[in-house]
Amino acid sequence: MANDTNPDLPSTVESGKPDWANLAMSLIRARDEEHWRNHFSSFTEYLNTKAANARRTPFTYWRAIAAAEFYLGFGKAHPEMTLPALSDMGKVSPENLEFIEKIGRFAPEPMVVELMNDLLAKKIGRSLLKSTLTVATLRLSPKTAKCS
């Protein structure tokens, strides 16, 4: 078992229940700056240990990372949009961002942008995104959905 003491560990990972966006930023920083390397054999081992210490599932941590990376990438792909900072996204569910990312695999980009705007404006939620994903996967394919 790896030594679980790490002076470089971001404090939000160690605290009980930080909001998902700050948790994700801390985990991404730890991964990218290799905070885990002196105490763990892999980032996965680091993440699993931190999740267990906080009594959370590793999936929760991986989902937070994926949602944060999608959101940051979406912002870079759409510089014309004014998006809230990731640190202000705590009230937006990472699951909802995951739905938008998955919808983006099948749906035209303008639809994905509209869904993101509606999500951030709190006009839509999980149920609509889930049903939209279901329809997108049943009716659209990546070849026909993307506009060139």
Side-chain angles (χ1 to χ4, degrees), residues 20 24 28 61-71 94 97-98 101:
W20 75 265
I28 290 168
Y61 282 23
W62 287 117
R63 176 179 266 171
I65 291 170
E69 289 179 333
F70 166 71
Y71 185 74
L97 291 172
E98 182 180 317
E101 185 274 327

Side-chain angles (χ1 to χ4, degrees), residues 95-96 99-100 103 111 114-116 118-119 122-136:
E95 182 183 27
N96 287 343
F99 281 133
I100 291 177
I103 291 165
M111 179 182 178
E114 182 178 347
L115 288 170
M116 181 64 82
D118 288 350
L119 176 65
K122 299 179 182 170
K123 293 180 182 177
I124 61 172
R126 182 185 186 282
S127 61
L128 180 69
L129 289 169
K130 187 175 180 182
S131 63
T132 301
L133 176 60
T134 300
V135 170

